[in-house]
């Protein structure tokens, strides 16, 4: 069952805390201070929804289709997965 929600541009995506923490030190640092019994909503103001969707596809399925001329996607990935 999803235990965290990621939100940007007025939309949201439900995810699993353990998967986000395994893939990203960014999420790990944020989520380690939040009680596991809580279902946090993480606001990502500098991330576009299509970039977040692509990132979640990569995290969950190991692949993503995108154009690499989109600098915001590359920046979002770097920030969230490093």
């Amino acid at each position: 069952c999803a235990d965290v929600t990621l939100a940007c541009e007025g939309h949201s995506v439900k995810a699993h805390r353990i998967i986000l923490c395994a893939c990203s030190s960014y999420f790990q640092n944020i989520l380690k201070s939040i009680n596991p019994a809580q279902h946090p909503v993480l606001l990502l103001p500098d991330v576009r929804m299509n970039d977040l969707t692509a990132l979640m596809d990569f995290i969950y399925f190991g692949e993503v289709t995108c154009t690499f001329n989109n600098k915001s996607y590359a920046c979002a990935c770097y920030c969230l997965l490093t």
Side-chain angles (χ1 to χ4, degrees), residues 1-6 13-18 20 27 31 34 38-42 60:
C1 184
D3 57 359
V4 64
T5 299
L6 307 176
V13 175
K14 294 193 182 295
H16 301 90
R17 184 183 303 229
I18 194 159
L20 294 178
F27 288 123
L31 293 169
I34 299 173
Q38 295 177 323
H39 183 113
V41 176
L42 303 180
Y60 277 87

Side-chain angles (χ1 to χ4, degrees), residues 20-39:
L20 294 178
C21 290
C23 294
S24 167
S25 60
Y26 173 82
F27 288 123
Q28 186 178 34
N29 288 332
I30 292 173
L31 293 169
K32 71 181 175 185
S33 64
I34 299 173
N35 183 337
Q38 295 177 323
H39 183 113

Side-chain angles (χ1 to χ4, degrees), residues 6-8 13 44 47-57:
L6 307 176
C8 64
V13 175
L44 305 170
V47 178
R48 294 182 352 197
M49 187 59 194
N50 60 337
D51 295 339
L52 180 58
T53 300
L55 182 64
M56 290 296 101
D57 286 347

